[in-house]
Amino acid sequence: MSSAEQRASELGIAIPDYADPPYGERYGSMRAFHRVGDLVFLSGMTPENRAGERFHTGRVGVEIGVDEARAAARMTAANVLGMIRYALGSLDAVKSLASSTYYVRTGPGFDDVHLVGEGALELFVEVFGRDAGRAPNVGVGVATLSHAHCFELQLILEAHPRA
Amino acid sequence: MSSAEQRASELGIAIPDYADPPYGERYGSMRAFHRVGDLVFLSGMTPENRAGERFHTGRVGVEIGVDEARAAARMTAANVLGMIRYALGSLDAVKSLASSTYYVRTGPGFDDVHLVGEGALELFVEVFGRDAGRAPNVGVGVATLSHAHCFELQLILEAHPRA
Amino acid sequence: MSSAEQRASELGIAIPDYADPPYGERYGSMRAFHRVGDLVFLSGMTPENRAGERFHTGRVGVEIGVDEARAAARMTAANVLGMIRYALGSLDAVKSLASSTYYVRTGPGFDDVHLVGEGALELFVEVFGRDAGRAPNVGVGVATLSHAHCFELQLILEAHPRA
């Protein structure tokens, strides 16, 4: 069985490097992650590249469609992978996802938030496999998100115990 | 003092069996629960029965009223009990609720999300008692939820240590 | 280096006493906090004083402006400090913030939820310092909150191990 790092490489996922420059340093009041025992809390990730460009901002069902929002969700999941590397050094340090909460910015009449969120969750299963890559989750349709992002995902994961 | 299982039985709560068929298997990318040490993360539960029927979909204050939403919240809490049994084998394996976040789908002008959420939280107190059955909690009024549900509850609990 | 209690005192922050009368006792179904190992889950805090007066209720961008919402967020953070004292006895028992989720009640056209949230997060950095006082966080713009509050913050923290 291949490792999560091998699978991410085979899938050709574009995973950002959050170590250089260190993620979050331009925000004085937030931190990228925090580990307590084997639990690791990650900061909410969005569909934004390291240059600060935001993809598909807007409300799903109004300014953007489901396909665009789903692509933004998948990009967000790739960003989460980058954050995991930054937090733990390697995707292979993940024992399992523990909890996932995602937010979709929705306009009136759009209720299929799960269709958007699956764009992110599927990437986790592709990389970590069916057991470790699935998390208990909640998807919520909200009025707005910071910087008008259409999607944000907040992950808690279980790391392998430190050697 | 009676046990949580005894109280649930005395109250005559209809608790679904999520073991048969196993919950969540039709969703390829989510998991019912995850345990790390004594912490157990449950997937968000909704007012939906095992046949997939949804109760009182819609926005509180528009398509449905407070009483219907409150009933949906109580049904959701009963579903959470079923999920706890599925995760831990018995309600008596719960040491305490640890954290509860609930979401109410609201229409314009409705702000009493706590009146809805109490429908769920009260059931936990009835079953687990005043100490173990209360959790730190947040209630949020949101634009929408997956499948247009009117209520969703995300629970973290503390289990008794494994024997 | 001064302690968190010393800094809070120097800053002259008005921190409510949640021990007398005990917080949350008028709510039959919620609890102020719950500790599991070194993790402490706090109940969602709002800009409300101990007399039950709510500050700056309404939607940001409609009934209230950013400055008012930001002041409400800072007041909420001060309330969180009071809750930490109630949970742990002293602010100096905090090893680090672990996870922060905040909700801003927004009206149409307002997307700068991070500007509001920073009002709370900055106070944590002032009191706990740059390392311990920053948390992985998510900010969400929502339709409404209990009692029409404009802001609510849900914190998980890591306490120093018990002596």
Side-chain angles (χ1 to χ4, degrees), chain B residues 39-117:
Chain B
L39 275 184
V40 184
F41 298 87
L42 301 186
S43 209
M45 300 302 292
T46 56
E48 181 178 314
N49 69 17
R50 291 244 55 193
E53 291 169 315
R54 294 168 282 150
F55 288 86
H56 304 315
T57 57
R59 293 169 293 168
V60 187
V62 181
E63 290 89 2
I64 63 174
V66 174
D67 288 347
E68 289 168 305
R70 199 177 171 95
R74 189 173 173 92
M75 176 188 179
T76 299
N79 288 350
V80 169
L81 298 181
M83 184 59 72
I84 292 172
R85 278 192 186 154
Y86 183 45
L88 300 178
S90 165
L91 301 177
D92 297 330
V94 173
K95 182 171 175 188
S96 177
L97 306 193
S99 177
S100 159
T101 306
Y102 65 80
Y103 307 92
V104 180
R105 188 174 175 221
T106 56
F110 182 81
D111 294 318
D112 290 330
V113 297
H114 53 288
L115 294 183
V116 176

Side-chain angles (χ1 to χ4, degrees), chain B residues 39 96-99 101 106 110-111 113-114 118 121 125 130-132 134-142 156 158, chain C residues 24-25 27-36 39 41-44 103 105 142-148 152 154:
Chain B
L39 275 184
S96 177
L97 306 193
S99 177
T101 306
T106 56
F110 182 81
D111 294 318
V113 297
H114 53 288
E118 283 165 9
L121 303 183
V125 174
R130 183 164 163 75
D131 285 336
R134 291 181 303 153
N137 83 87
V138 174
V140 190
V142 297
I156 306 172
E158 182 185 10
Chain C
E25 294 306 307
Y27 305 106
S29 53
M30 66 87 75
R31 189 159 27 160
F33 63 89
H34 184 69
R35 181 172 182 158
V36 182
L39 274 184
F41 298 87
L42 301 186
S43 210
Y103 307 92
R105 189 174 175 221
V142 298
T144 194
L145 290 163
S146 293
H147 305 285
E152 185 152 3
Q154 187 181 28

